[in-house]
Amino acid sequence: MHVCDLQALDQLRRELRFDPQALRRFRNALLKHGRSDAEALGEIPAEVRETFASRVDLHALELHSRNDSQQDGATKLLFRTRAGMLIESVILRIATGRTTLCVSSQVGCAAACDFCATGKMGIAQNLSPPEILDQVVQSRQILAAEGRQLRNLVFMGMGEPFHNEENLYATIEALTASELFHQPPSRILASTVGLPDAMIRCARRFPNLNLALSLHSANQETRQQIIPLAKRYPLDELRRALMELNRIQPDSTEVMVEYLMLAGLNDSLAAAAELVAWLSGLRVHVNLIPFNPIDDAPHLHGSDRSTREAFGAHLKAAGLKCTIRYSLGADVAAACGQLVRKENRKHAIAIKTANLSEA
């Protein structure tokens, strides 16, 4: 049974006949405070501890490798699923002291955005709630050992969260449950390439959850060039979805609009003016993001700093809230992403070969 299955855990506790407070202390130690497995299990009475540990699944993932940035406070974690596939999570230790975890929701991604290494994998498999949650558990343990606390969770890792919608919702339910992780929804963000109906469903179910739209252009032709799904979900549908999100969510909640700055493609002042017009009247906050080059998109180049700042100044002058972001972990991102792609492709080919042999 999984450690987040409250009903099954309580049934086991009754079977083993120990104090429910001991079970509560165990869950709090592991899920909320990031204590080690041994420390958390130490909350279970000694006479039933071994039996309890043999029947409760603490982890759905194996930590394959850890890559720490030598430039900043980023750590890229590679986890292996029980199916043998690799996924990534990234710990971001922000200079202000806040710590954020970037979580994956899929192996690979079917959105196939031109600028994204994950979308080039040719693999898209949903992660289960235990696999998504274990990224949080193991990252929290790493941070607790450093005397840090995990503050924010962002679904900005591998995968399109709304292509794994029901598992995403089950994960959020567990994350926000007071008996489990007790993570405030206001400190969780789900980022999507833009599935309008799913965005609205999510906001209705979790109105205090933060949502981010990977927009990257307010020009339909340009957006289709870099985001294939834009053909299916055009800009007018996305704008109607943002209007509905603004209606559903509290007035204090802004939709994050992510805008990747690509030289000669979407970074002109004319593009900035298009963006201002498209966002007019919406409650949003724009993030201007630098592009990290990937091997599979040699034709794409990031805008230089002065261009990004001029673009941002134009948005601010028009009254939009705007933040110019700077990358963390750039020295570990590319090599790590390539490793995941190669390893997963090799594993997928091996499985296919084995299946053909059996047939």
Side-chain angles (χ1 to χ4, degrees), residues 35-79:
R35 287 164 61 185
S36 69
D37 294 358
E39 288 177 312
L41 287 169
E43 300 292 349
I44 303 299
E47 62 271 18
V48 297
R49 188 177 303 148
E50 185 175 347
T51 302
F52 180 88
S54 69
R55 294 176 60 179
V56 177
D57 195 3
L58 300 188
H59 299 291
L61 302 171
E62 173 194 350
L63 182 59
H64 175 272
S65 65
R66 170 178 173 167
N67 296 271
D68 294 301
S69 172
Q70 301 304 306
Q71 298 177 355
D72 47 55
T75 295
K76 179 161 281 192
L77 304 173
L78 269 66
F79 293 105

Coordinates of all heavy atoms in Angstrom, one line a residue, residues 35-79:
R35 N 11.7 14.3 7.1 CA 12.7 13.5 7.8 C 13.0 12.2 7.0 O 12.2 11.7 6.2 CB 12.1 13.1 9.2 CG 12.1 14.4 10.1 CD 11.3 14.2 11.3 NE 11.7 13.1 12.2 CZ 11.0 12.7 13.3 NH1 9.9 13.3 13.6 NH2 11.5 11.7 14.0
S36 N 14.1 11.6 7.4 CA 14.5 10.4 6.6 C 13.5 9.2 6.9 O 12.7 9.2 7.8 CB 15.9 9.9 7.1 OG 15.9 9.4 8.4
D37 N 13.6 8.2 6.0 CA 12.7 7.1 6.2 C 12.9 6.4 7.5 O 11.9 6.1 8.2 CB 13.1 6.0 5.1 CG 12.8 6.5 3.7 OD1 12.2 7.6 3.5 OD2 13.0 5.7 2.7
A38 N 14.1 6.3 8.0 CA 14.4 5.6 9.3 C 13.8 6.5 10.4 O 13.3 5.9 11.4 CB 15.9 5.4 9.4
E39 N 14.0 7.8 10.3 CA 13.5 8.6 11.4 C 11.9 8.6 11.4 O 11.3 8.5 12.5 CB 13.9 10.1 11.2 CG 15.4 10.3 11.5 CD 15.8 11.7 11.1 OE1 15.5 12.2 10.0 OE2 16.5 12.4 12.0
A40 N 11.3 8.6 10.3 CA 9.9 8.6 10.2 C 9.3 7.2 10.7 O 8.4 7.2 11.6 CB 9.4 8.8 8.8
L41 N 10.0 6.1 10.3 CA 9.6 4.8 10.8 C 9.8 4.7 12.3 O 9.1 3.8 13.0 CB 10.3 3.7 10.0 CG 9.8 3.5 8.6 CD1 10.8 2.6 7.8 CD2 8.4 2.9 8.6
G42 N 10.7 5.5 12.8 CA 11.0 5.4 14.3 C 9.8 5.9 15.1 O 9.7 5.6 16.3
E43 N 8.8 6.5 14.4 CA 7.6 6.9 15.1 C 6.6 5.7 15.3 O 5.6 5.8 16.1 CB 6.9 8.0 14.4 CG 7.7 9.3 14.2 CD 7.9 10.0 15.5 OE1 7.3 9.7 16.6 OE2 8.8 10.9 15.6
I44 N 6.8 4.7 14.6 CA 6.0 3.5 14.7 C 6.5 2.6 15.8 O 7.7 2.4 16.0 CB 6.0 2.7 13.3 CG1 5.5 3.6 12.2 CG2 5.1 1.4 13.4 CD1 4.1 4.1 12.3
P45 N 5.6 2.1 16.7 CA 6.1 1.2 17.8 C 7.0 0.1 17.3 O 6.8 -0.5 16.3 CB 4.7 0.7 18.3 CG 3.7 1.7 18.0 CD 4.1 2.2 16.6
A46 N 8.0 -0.1 18.1 CA 9.1 -1.1 17.7 C 8.6 -2.5 17.5 O 9.0 -3.2 16.6 CB 10.1 -1.1 18.8
E47 N 7.5 -2.9 18.2 CA 7.1 -4.3 18.1 C 6.4 -4.6 16.8 O 6.2 -5.7 16.4 CB 6.2 -4.6 19.3 CG 4.9 -3.8 19.4 CD 5.1 -2.5 20.2 OE1 6.2 -2.1 20.4 OE2 4.1 -2.0 20.7
V48 N 5.9 -3.5 16.1 CA 5.2 -3.7 14.8 C 5.9 -3.0 13.7 O 5.5 -3.0 12.5 CB 3.8 -3.2 14.9 CG1 3.0 -4.0 15.9 CG2 3.7 -1.7 15.2
R49 N 7.1 -2.4 13.9 CA 7.7 -1.5 12.9 C 8.1 -2.3 11.7 O 8.0 -1.9 10.6 CB 8.9 -0.8 13.6 CG 9.6 0.2 12.7 CD 10.7 0.9 13.4 NE 10.2 1.5 14.7 CZ 11.0 1.6 15.8 NH1 12.2 1.1 15.8 NH2 10.5 2.1 16.9
E50 N 8.7 -3.5 11.9 CA 9.2 -4.2 10.8 C 8.1 -4.7 9.9 O 8.2 -4.6 8.6 CB 10.0 -5.5 11.3 CG 10.7 -6.2 10.1 CD 11.5 -7.4 10.7 OE1 11.8 -7.4 11.9 OE2 11.9 -8.2 9.8
T51 N 7.0 -5.1 10.5 CA 5.8 -5.6 9.7 C 5.2 -4.4 8.9 O 4.9 -4.5 7.8 CB 4.8 -6.2 10.6 OG1 5.4 -7.3 11.3 CG2 3.6 -6.6 9.8
F52 N 5.1 -3.2 9.6 CA 4.6 -2.0 9.0 C 5.4 -1.6 7.8 O 4.9 -1.4 6.7 CB 4.6 -0.9 10.1 CG 4.0 0.4 9.6 CD1 2.7 0.7 9.6 CD2 4.9 1.4 9.0 CE1 2.2 1.9 9.1 CE2 4.4 2.6 8.6 CZ 3.0 2.8 8.6
A53 N 6.8 -1.6 8.0 CA 7.7 -1.2 6.9 C 7.6 -2.1 5.7 O 7.8 -1.7 4.6 CB 9.1 -1.1 7.5
S54 N 7.4 -3.4 6.0 CA 7.3 -4.3 4.9 C 6.1 -4.2 4.0 O 6.0 -4.7 2.9 CB 7.5 -5.8 5.4 OG 6.3 -6.1 6.1
R55 N 5.1 -3.6 4.6 CA 3.8 -3.5 3.9 C 3.4 -2.1 3.4 O 2.4 -2.0 2.7 CB 2.7 -4.1 4.8 CG 2.9 -5.5 5.1 CD 1.9 -6.1 6.1 NE 0.5 -5.9 5.7 CZ -0.6 -6.4 6.4 NH1 -0.4 -7.0 7.6 NH2 -1.8 -6.2 5.9
V56 N 4.2 -1.1 3.8 CA 3.9 0.2 3.3 C 5.0 0.7 2.3 O 6.2 0.5 2.6 CB 3.9 1.2 4.5 CG1 3.7 2.6 4.0 CG2 2.8 0.8 5.5
D57 N 4.5 1.2 1.2 CA 5.4 1.6 0.1 C 5.8 3.1 0.3 O 4.9 3.9 0.0 CB 4.7 1.4 -1.2 CG 5.6 1.5 -2.4 OD1 6.9 1.6 -2.2 OD2 5.2 1.4 -3.6
L58 N 7.0 3.3 0.8 CA 7.4 4.7 1.1 C 7.7 5.5 -0.2 O 7.5 6.7 -0.3 CB 8.6 4.8 2.0 CG 8.4 4.1 3.4 CD1 9.6 4.5 4.3 CD2 7.1 4.6 4.1
H59 N 8.3 4.8 -1.2 CA 8.8 5.5 -2.4 C 8.3 4.7 -3.7 O 8.4 3.5 -3.7 CB 10.3 5.6 -2.4 CG 10.8 6.4 -1.2 ND1 10.6 7.8 -1.1 CD2 11.4 6.0 -0.1 CE1 11.1 8.2 0.0 NE2 11.6 7.2 0.7
A60 N 7.9 5.5 -4.6 CA 7.5 4.9 -5.9 C 8.6 5.1 -7.0 O 8.6 4.6 -8.1 CB 6.3 5.6 -6.5
L61 N 9.7 5.8 -6.6 CA 10.8 6.2 -7.5 C 12.1 5.8 -6.9 O 12.3 5.9 -5.6 CB 10.8 7.6 -7.9 CG 9.5 8.2 -8.5 CD1 9.6 9.7 -8.6 CD2 9.3 7.6 -9.9
E62 N 13.1 5.6 -7.7 CA 14.5 5.4 -7.3 C 15.3 6.6 -7.7 O 15.2 7.0 -8.9 CB 15.1 4.1 -7.9 CG 16.6 3.9 -7.6 CD 17.2 2.8 -8.5 OE1 16.4 2.1 -9.1 OE2 18.4 2.7 -8.5
L63 N 16.0 7.2 -6.8 CA 16.9 8.3 -7.2 C 18.1 7.8 -8.0 O 18.9 7.0 -7.5 CB 17.4 9.1 -6.0 CG 18.3 10.3 -6.3 CD1 17.5 11.3 -7.1 CD2 18.8 10.9 -5.0
H64 N 18.1 8.2 -9.3 CA 19.1 7.7 -10.2 C 20.4 8.5 -10.1 O 21.5 8.0 -10.1 CB 18.6 7.7 -11.6 CG 19.5 7.3 -12.7 ND1 20.4 8.2 -13.3 CD2 19.8 6.1 -13.3 CE1 21.1 7.6 -14.2 NE2 20.8 6.3 -14.2
S65 N 20.3 9.8 -10.1 CA 21.5 10.7 -10.0 C 21.0 12.1 -9.6 O 19.9 12.4 -9.7 CB 22.2 10.7 -11.4 OG 21.4 11.3 -12.4
R66 N 22.0 12.8 -9.1 CA 21.8 14.2 -8.7 C 22.9 15.1 -9.3 O 24.1 14.7 -9.3 CB 21.9 14.2 -7.2 CG 22.0 15.6 -6.6 CD 22.0 15.6 -5.1 NE 22.2 16.9 -4.5 CZ 22.0 17.3 -3.2 NH1 21.7 16.3 -2.4 NH2 22.2 18.5 -2.8
N67 N 22.4 16.2 -9.9 CA 23.4 17.1 -10.5 C 23.2 18.5 -9.9 O 22.1 19.1 -10.0 CB 23.1 17.2 -12.0 CG 23.4 15.9 -12.7 OD1 24.5 15.6 -13.2 ND2 22.3 15.1 -12.8
D68 N 24.2 19.0 -9.2 CA 24.2 20.3 -8.5 C 24.8 21.3 -9.4 O 26.0 21.1 -9.8 CB 24.8 20.2 -7.2 CG 24.1 19.3 -6.2 OD1 22.9 19.5 -5.9 OD2 24.7 18.3 -5.7
S69 N 24.1 22.4 -9.6 CA 24.7 23.5 -10.3 C 25.9 24.1 -9.6 O 25.9 24.3 -8.3 CB 23.7 24.6 -10.5 OG 24.3 25.8 -11.1
Q70 N 27.0 24.4 -10.3 CA 28.1 25.1 -9.7 C 28.0 26.6 -9.8 O 28.9 27.4 -9.4 CB 29.4 24.6 -10.5 CG 29.6 23.1 -10.4 CD 29.7 22.6 -9.0 OE1 30.4 23.1 -8.1 NE2 28.8 21.6 -8.7
Q71 N 26.9 27.1 -10.4 CA 26.7 28.5 -10.6 C 25.7 29.1 -9.7 O 25.7 30.3 -9.3 CB 26.2 28.8 -12.1 CG 27.2 28.4 -13.1 CD 26.6 28.6 -14.5 OE1 25.5 28.9 -14.7 NE2 27.4 28.3 -15.5
D72 N 24.7 28.3 -9.2 CA 23.6 28.8 -8.4 C 23.1 27.7 -7.5 O 23.7 26.7 -7.4 CB 22.5 29.5 -9.2 CG 22.1 28.6 -10.4 OD1 21.7 27.4 -10.1 OD2 22.2 29.0 -11.6
G73 N 21.9 27.9 -7.0 CA 21.3 26.9 -6.0 C 20.4 25.9 -6.6 O 19.5 25.4 -5.9
A74 N 20.6 25.6 -7.9 CA 19.7 24.6 -8.5 C 20.3 23.2 -8.4 O 21.5 23.0 -8.5 CB 19.5 24.9 -10.0
T75 N 19.4 22.2 -8.2 CA 19.8 20.8 -8.2 C 18.8 20.1 -9.1 O 17.6 20.1 -9.0 CB 19.7 20.2 -6.8 OG1 20.7 20.8 -6.0 CG2 19.9 18.7 -6.9
K76 N 19.3 19.3 -10.1 CA 18.5 18.5 -11.0 C 18.6 17.1 -10.5 O 19.7 16.5 -10.4 CB 18.9 18.6 -12.5 CG 18.1 17.8 -13.4 CD 18.2 18.2 -14.9 CE 17.3 19.5 -15.1 NZ 17.2 19.8 -16.5
L77 N 17.4 16.5 -10.3 CA 17.3 15.1 -9.8 C 16.8 14.3 -10.9 O 15.8 14.6 -11.5 CB 16.4 15.0 -8.6 CG 16.8 15.9 -7.4 CD1 15.7 15.8 -6.3 CD2 18.1 15.5 -6.8
L78 N 17.4 13.1 -11.1 CA 16.9 12.1 -12.1 C 16.4 11.0 -11.3 O 17.1 10.4 -10.5 CB 18.0 11.7 -13.1 CG 18.1 12.5 -14.4 CD1 18.6 13.9 -14.1 CD2 19.1 11.8 -15.3
F79 N 15.1 10.6 -11.5 CA 14.5 9.5 -10.8 C 14.2 8.4 -11.9 O 13.8 8.7 -13.0 CB 13.2 9.9 -10.2 CG 13.3 10.9 -9.0 CD1 13.0 12.2 -9.1 CD2 13.8 10.4 -7.8 CE1 13.1 13.1 -8.1 CE2 13.9 11.3 -6.7 CZ 13.6 12.6 -6.8

